[in-house]
Amino acid sequence: MTGRHPAPTGSTVAVTLCSAARLDHLLPQRGALARLRPSVPHVVVWLDETPAPALPELADAHVLHVPPGPDGLRLAAGRNAGAERAIALGASLVVFLDADCVPGPDLVARYEAAASAHPHALLCGPVTYLPEGHVGMDDDSLDAATRPHAARPSPEAGETVVAGHDQYPLFWSLSFALAADTWARTGGFEPGYEGYGGEDTDFAFTARSLGLPLVWVGGAHAYHQWHPTTSPPWQHLDDILRNGRRFAERWGEWPMGGWLEAFREGGAVRVAEDGGWERVTA
């Protein structure tokens, strides 16, 4: 499925990964993107086994299908496919949003300004986690709910802060942007990651290894819609172990250390003989 309105050369294009489980979250995101003037072309990468449904709400999106691999959803490969399509449409700036995330009214403009000031950077805006029962996805309701997650820097609107070397593990893929030529320099996400976890930190480490700045972008607010979750994410334990080992083989250290420690406290994992992590077996 292709959109009716190709992106003009030099534009910003948004890329979102989605599945049937997150379709109800995607629709408010699309509504927020449509409210922007000019509106932002939107590439939606569908990650389920079967293609995306032919819904009127997706009629003007550029919909791609990247089915799962043997070990689960292919988030890394999906982002690569989405970026490739965005750049083919003429994007000079690619903005990535999780399907859960509704962009604030200034998100795109703030990312565009930051890309102008830091043309070779990986750009990250603050994310607010909306509480259960939050009502209203209009711009005023989102603005009133703004409370950025404290684990990441959140500069004042209009300000940018270049991250230190030790802050790259804080990169997360909920909301980020980078110029098309910077994307090409990274080579994209490592496609060997399947299932949950690790691929975004790997991407940040790749950027760091290339000398690309990580920049915190004030005012580029995104709003993560509530859904049930667990902490640590027990349903993803095997994915985290598998992808964590892949990461360690590439970078010499394990990611997601807080979750692994929580799994160990729960009796599910232990430190392996090689210093990594493994499941506890009976």
Side-chain angles (χ1 to χ4, degrees):
M1 184 188 304
T2 58
R4 302 169 184 167
H5 308 293
T9 299
S11 71
T12 297
V13 176
V15 173
T16 302
L17 307 183
C18 192
S19 64
R22 290 289 174 261
L23 181 59
D24 288 344
H25 291 107
L26 177 69
L27 299 183
Q29 180 191 103
R30 286 190 45 73
L33 289 171
R35 290 195 296 270
L36 299 175
R37 292 293 179 267
S39 61
V40 174
H42 195 194
V43 177
V44 175
V45 184
W46 197 257
L47 299 175
D48 285 341
E49 190 70 46
T50 57
L55 299 174
E57 294 89 347
L58 297 177
D60 64 347
H62 304 266
V63 182
L64 308 179
H65 183 213
V66 177
D71 292 316
L73 299 182
R74 295 193 292 151
L75 307 179
R79 291 194 186 96
N80 291 347
E84 181 179 347
R85 174 63 64 87
I87 293 168
L89 290 170
S92 58
L93 182 71
V94 183
V95 174
F96 293 84
L97 292 167
D98 268 15
D100 301 332
C101 287
V102 177
D106 297 325
L107 178 142
V108 169
R110 296 297 185 192
Y111 274 146
E112 290 174 341
S116 179
H118 305 276
H120 306 298
L122 184 56
L123 309 168
C124 285
V127 177
T128 291
Y129 275 74
L130 297 173
E132 183 178 6
H134 174 85
V135 176
M137 293 296 169
D138 59 280
D139 294 344
D140 290 341
S141 297
L142 293 174
D143 183 65
T146 303
R147 288 170 182 78
H149 195 288
R152 270 79 178 174
S154 177
E156 293 296 318
E159 294 184 358
T160 56
V161 175
V162 178
H165 184 272
D166 61 344
Q167 287 188 311
Y168 281 77
L170 297 180
F171 170 79
W172 54 5
S173 54
L174 294 175
S175 169
F176 72 99
L178 72 174
D181 58 352
T182 304
W183 170 265
R185 286 186 63 189
T186 68
F189 282 74
E190 164 54 45
Y193 290 93
E194 293 183 359
Y196 184 86
E199 86 288 343
D200 48 358
T201 308
D202 184 288
F203 184 70
F205 276 39
T206 296
R208 185 171 66 181
S209 73
L210 295 169
L212 301 176
L214 173 64
V215 175
W216 309 112
V217 181
H221 290 289
Y223 300 86
H224 183 278
Q225 301 167 78
W226 184 88
H227 58 76
T229 187
T230 61
S231 183
W234 289 100
Q235 71 274 27
H236 298 304
L237 189 155
D238 288 324
D239 286 351
I240 289 169
L241 287 174
R242 184 184 62 256
N243 287 338
R245 183 162 294 279
R246 173 177 288 275
F247 184 98
E249 290 170 352
R250 285 169 55 79
W251 301 107
E253 61 183 274
W254 279 68
M256 303 175 282
W259 286 341
L260 289 164
E261 287 291 350
F263 291 143
R264 176 162 67 173
E265 290 175 5
V269 303
R270 64 189 175 197
V271 176
E273 290 184 1
D274 64 0
W277 295 87
E278 63 184 9
R279 259 193 180 273
V280 171
T281 56

